[in-house]
Amino acid sequence: MSYQAFTDSQFMNALSNRSDLDIFAENKVSIFALELFFGLDDVLNTLSSAVTGGSDDAKTDVLFVNREEGAIVLIQAYEAQTFKTSAKGNKGADLSYAVNVLLSTEENDIPKGIRPHVLDAREALNAGEISMIHVWYLHNLPESEQIKQQMAPILAPARELLTVYQKHNFQIELNVKEIGLETLDVFYKSSKQAIIIDHEIPLNRSSKGFRVAHDDWDTFVTTVPGDWLANLYRNHDKTELFSANVRGFMGANNKENDKVINAGIQTSARNTPVDFFVFNNGITALVHDFTIDEEDPSLLKSIKGISIVNGAQTTGSLGSLERETDLSNIEVGVRFIKCENKGKIESITRYNNSQNKVLQSDFRANDSIQKRLREEFNQLHSADYDGGLRGVTSTDRKLKVDAHSAAQALMAWHGNPADSYHKKMAIWDNDELYSVAFNPTITAGHILFIYSLLEAINLLKDELSQKDKRGDTNQNEREFLSFLNERGSAFLTIHAMSKIIETILETNVKAAYGISFNKGVHRHNCINLWKDLLNKLSHNVKTLKPGLKKRLSNSQEIANVSKEFSNSFGTIFLTMKGQFSSNPYKSFVEKVSNKI
């Protein structure tokens, strides 16, 4: 479409209602885009660490390492305050520099503001955890052909730099793209509606099949020629074509598991086209409507709109073959489904897609502990908790307590921060780890107590980052920000705070999984109480940095710095108490409920 103002964009209109993203300032467009692109639930605690620290960012505003999805996203962002017909150009050199820093700059030469992010990304690459790198110039204006042309030369040199990391049994893909209003709107629409492509699509020839209908769905089962499916892939935006699919086409090669299958599809298409129908599972697609021949109800003439729910790999494999490959003798089985029931559409998408991951938390979501916690949270007016139950949405994002982030924070407080960082999903799968995070005596108030600490750490990091970019930080704040920028710092901080809580309270914790803030303390006040405490302790907290070596992999170092932190704080606490003739953290203590 042609954009004349920000309000012409569904993405921008939705963003204007997301006050929870204001903390990300000039990066909020990027953060919202990543939330939609990956379907993230807990933006603050997931993406805060992806925003580069301070002013020394090597032309990279966001560097997100998503190990669960096997992806890295490098973003250089530009947010225009007034509408223009296109974004600033000449981004090729800047992005080329950013990619060079990511992939090849010597460690000691990497700017400090982005060094932790780069080293984390390289570790993931070297460990074989990444199969795709996205390099985005992301802005809130219409996309332009000029910028696409300026970015094109980045690709070849970047692929050359990437060869150093191509040492696993699969190929790491690289995607360099301008992300403007057109693509941002696709991200948004894909999150809200199953079918984005909505025009009439004729069949090359009427396809013979049969119709099956029910109360709220209508289906036509038939076959389509291989060349029709290939052209569908070649002529449409892939994000739009697979908008109802949990993932798009993964590519084809003879190394990575997914891609070996796709390479096999291509081999079958070339060598045994007649047998393709019996070798292939076919596709399932959602459509707005289909037109059946009036004289012969067994013939399908056309469809209106399409989103491929299952069969992205088949579609992409055929569509990415050489155009001269003859696909006319191939028949692919297909089910075209009409359905207006949103809940049913979600079920169709889920059950049709064999690649839809079953998360470990799915098996815990309905155990007695999580059921009870959801009921307890219902009594709190400042928090919504899903307890690992997917499909639960919060009416106010500021109230959401994400169960996976909560589990990590609880593990850091009650157990080991290394497990918080390295075993995010294992917490739900391993009985021993699960019992550490979710002891049967745990209360909703306790989860909010620990979770608000995690939120406070990430909010404090983002606030300091913005302050540093304005050049307003002092030496201690810069050192504190440097610590908070390190991977795993939030979990190590939570662990350290658990070691001094009894000193602060001047008494034993009566119930390890019951300590909380008083019932009358609202969520934002919980966060502010922790932020105030962290600011007062910033000189001490930053001394924990040695415990972060090798991404929290040295358990002895974690134990050492935690003990030193606790001992040092104890000494300071007694000194301050003597000076003030009372508990120096009285305002915090008064808000804490420490009962059996």
Side-chain angles (χ1 to χ4, degrees):
M1 67 171 290
S2 176
Y3 295 92
Q4 305 299 322
F6 290 134
T7 51
D8 291 336
S9 164
Q10 293 184 45
F11 175 93
M12 293 300 292
N13 289 331
L15 182 60
S16 67
N17 296 318
R18 291 293 301 278
S19 59
D20 61 304
L21 299 182
D22 289 346
I23 185 66
F24 293 104
E26 71 273 10
N27 291 311
K28 65 182 179 181
V29 176
S30 300
I31 297 301
F32 191 30
L34 286 171
E35 176 189 328
L36 296 174
F37 187 73
F38 287 110
L40 301 174
D41 291 322
D42 186 4
V43 178
L44 173 65
N45 297 313
T46 302
L47 293 179
S48 178
S49 61
V51 178
T52 57
S55 54
D56 197 7
D57 62 11
K59 306 297 182 181
T60 300
D61 296 298
V62 179
L63 185 57
F64 180 42
V65 181
N66 188 336
R67 286 175 167 83
E68 286 82 7
E69 297 291 339
I72 292 172
V73 185
L74 183 157
I75 300 177
Q76 184 176 120
Y78 167 65
E79 182 177 351
Q81 301 305 308
T82 57
F83 184 82
K84 305 178 185 70
T85 55
S86 66
K88 295 178 180 179
N90 300 319
K91 289 297 175 181
D94 287 351
L95 276 172
S96 180
Y97 170 60
V99 172
N100 269 276
V101 171
L102 172 64
L103 299 177
S104 66
T105 299
E106 292 292 331
E107 180 175 333
N108 291 335
D109 294 330
I110 300 172
K112 291 183 179 179
I114 196 174
R115 188 178 297 168
H117 306 73
V118 170
L119 297 182
D120 185 40
R122 289 184 183 179
E123 186 169 318
L125 283 164
N126 284 320
E129 297 172 319
I130 303 299
S131 60
M132 171 64 78
I133 298 178
H134 298 277
V135 178
W136 292 350
Y137 172 40
L138 189 148
H139 55 77
N140 59 339
L141 295 170
E143 296 168 6
S144 75
E145 194 59 38
Q146 180 184 6
I147 291 178
K148 288 182 175 65
Q149 291 173 358
Q150 292 172 352
M151 293 176 66
I154 301 171
L155 198 56
R159 281 178 174 158
E160 183 64 29
L161 293 175
L162 194 55
T163 56
V164 175
Y165 303 93
Q166 305 278 20
K167 54 189 178 184
H168 304 282
N169 63 344
F170 62 88
Q171 190 77 6
I172 302 171
E173 303 292 339
L174 183 68
N175 175 262
V176 178
K177 188 173 183 179
E178 177 191 16
I179 306 289
L181 291 180
E182 291 85 349
T183 304
L184 293 173
D185 275 349
V186 169
F187 288 175
Y188 180 75
K189 287 184 284 187
S190 295
S191 72
K192 297 297 179 184
Q193 62 192 69
I195 305 171
I196 297 176
I197 297 171
D198 60 2
H199 60 269
E200 191 87 13
I201 304 172
L203 278 299
N204 291 353
R205 56 180 183 270
S206 294
S207 295
K208 197 171 185 66
F210 59 92
R211 187 176 185 177
V212 180
H214 203 262
D215 293 341
D216 55 359
W217 53 263
D218 194 355
T219 304
F220 198 92
V221 182
T222 184
T223 63
V224 294
D227 52 1
W228 182 88
L229 196 59
N231 287 330
L232 195 69
Y233 179 82
R234 293 164 182 162
N235 297 332
H236 292 88
D237 180 278
K238 309 308 177 288
T239 308
E240 294 183 355
L241 183 60
F242 303 128
S243 59
N245 201 314
V246 294
R247 63 178 187 174
F249 175 55
M250 304 296 289
N253 61 40
N254 288 309
K255 296 180 180 179
E256 193 175 356
N257 288 341
D258 291 316
K259 299 177 184 180
V260 168
I261 295 172
N262 296 339
I265 293 173
Q266 293 183 332
T267 299
S268 175
R270 290 190 186 99
N271 300 337
T272 56
V274 174
D275 294 328
F276 192 90
F277 178 80
V278 293
F279 290 166
N280 187 267
N281 290 331
I283 67 172
T284 298
L286 290 169
V287 298
H288 288 309
D289 202 358
F290 44 72
T291 303
I292 297 173
D293 191 293
E294 294 180 359
E295 297 181 359
D296 186 351
S298 69
L299 293 178
L300 183 67
K301 296 175 65 177
S302 66
I303 58 173
K304 180 173 174 57
I306 187 169
S307 178
I308 293 176
V309 174
N310 181 263
Q313 312 315 312
T314 295
T315 306
S317 296
L318 295 179
S320 58
L321 281 167
E322 302 81 4
R323 287 185 176 269
E324 59 270 19
T325 305
D326 183 9
L327 303 176
S328 59
N329 292 323
I330 289 176
E331 291 292 331
V332 182
V334 60
R335 288 184 302 168
F336 292 117
I337 302 174
K338 289 194 299 182
C339 182
E340 299 299 328
N341 183 321
K342 186 175 181 180
K344 187 63 64 68
I345 288 173
E346 291 177 354
S347 296
I348 291 170
T349 301
R350 183 183 307 114
Y351 297 131
N352 269 276
N353 202 303
S354 60
Q355 300 296 340
N356 198 12
K357 294 179 181 177
V358 176
L359 301 179
Q360 290 93 327
S361 53
D362 292 336
F363 297 105
R364 302 281 189 180
N366 284 311
D367 72 7
S368 58
I369 296 174
Q370 298 302 328
K371 282 182 176 180
R372 176 178 57 78
L373 287 172
R374 283 195 292 271
E375 291 172 359
E376 286 186 22
F377 268 100
N378 286 337
Q379 306 304 313
L380 299 177
H381 300 295
S382 61
D384 291 338
Y385 178 73
D386 57 26
L389 192 64
R390 288 197 272 182
V392 176
T393 56
S394 177
T395 54
D396 185 346
R397 288 177 179 272
K398 290 184 179 180
L399 299 182
K400 182 175 175 61
V401 173
D402 180 72
H404 296 96
S405 296
Q408 290 178 283
L410 290 164
M411 179 58 67
W413 182 275
H414 293 286
N416 189 330
D419 290 334
S420 301
Y421 191 80
H422 295 286
K423 299 179 180 180
K424 177 179 179 179
M425 297 313 300
I427 294 171
W428 298 86
D429 191 39
N430 182 288
D431 289 341
E432 184 177 345
L433 293 177
Y434 184 74
S435 66
V436 172
F438 294 102
N439 183 278
T441 63
I442 195 169
T443 65
H446 180 65
I447 292 179
L448 185 57
F449 184 71
I450 307 302
Y451 190 81
S452 59
L453 171 55
L454 176 63
E455 291 180 295
I457 294 167
N458 285 317
L459 284 169
L460 194 55
K461 181 260 180 187
D462 291 330
E463 290 170 4
L464 282 174
S465 181
Q466 292 303 318
K467 190 176 181 180
D468 189 54
K469 287 179 180 179
R470 297 192 301 269
D472 295 336
T473 50
N474 57 38
Q475 182 64 28
N476 176 62
E477 288 174 325
R478 287 191 293 273
E479 291 174 358
F480 190 29
L481 176 60
S482 176
F483 167 76
L484 294 176
N485 259 327
E486 294 287 343
R487 292 301 189 266
S489 60
F491 301 126
L492 183 55
T493 302
I494 292 171
H495 184 68
M497 296 303 290
S498 75
K499 301 299 181 184
I500 65 171
I501 191 64
E502 291 188 336
T503 302
I504 292 174
L505 297 177
E506 295 187 281
T507 185
N508 293 337
V509 171
K510 309 301 182 186
Y513 289 84
I515 184 173
S516 64
F517 287 114
N518 296 328
K519 285 187 177 181
V521 182
H522 193 275
R523 171 80 161 274
H524 70 270
N525 289 329
C526 297
I527 295 170
N528 288 334
L529 283 165
W530 281 120
K531 282 171 62 179
D532 180 62
L533 187 60
L534 289 166
N535 273 318
K536 290 176 179 177
L537 298 178
S538 59
H539 287 84
N540 305 79
V541 172
K542 66 187 183 185
T543 64
L544 294 167
K545 195 169 185 176
L548 296 171
K549 290 178 182 177
K550 296 182 179 179
R551 290 173 54 239
L552 287 170
S553 294
N554 190 323
S555 58
Q556 187 58 54
E557 193 69 56
I558 291 171
N560 290 341
V561 297
S562 299
K563 184 177 181 179
E564 289 173 10
F565 173 82
S566 178
N567 291 340
S568 174
F569 175 78
T571 302
I572 294 171
F573 179 85
L574 290 175
T575 302
M576 292 180 67
K577 185 179 178 182
Q579 291 175 345
F580 291 103
S581 300
S582 65
N583 190 323
Y585 307 106
K586 183 179 178 181
S587 59
F588 178 87
V589 174
E590 289 176 341
K591 302 295 191 299
V592 175
S593 174
N594 181 29
K595 302 174 182 177
I596 295 177

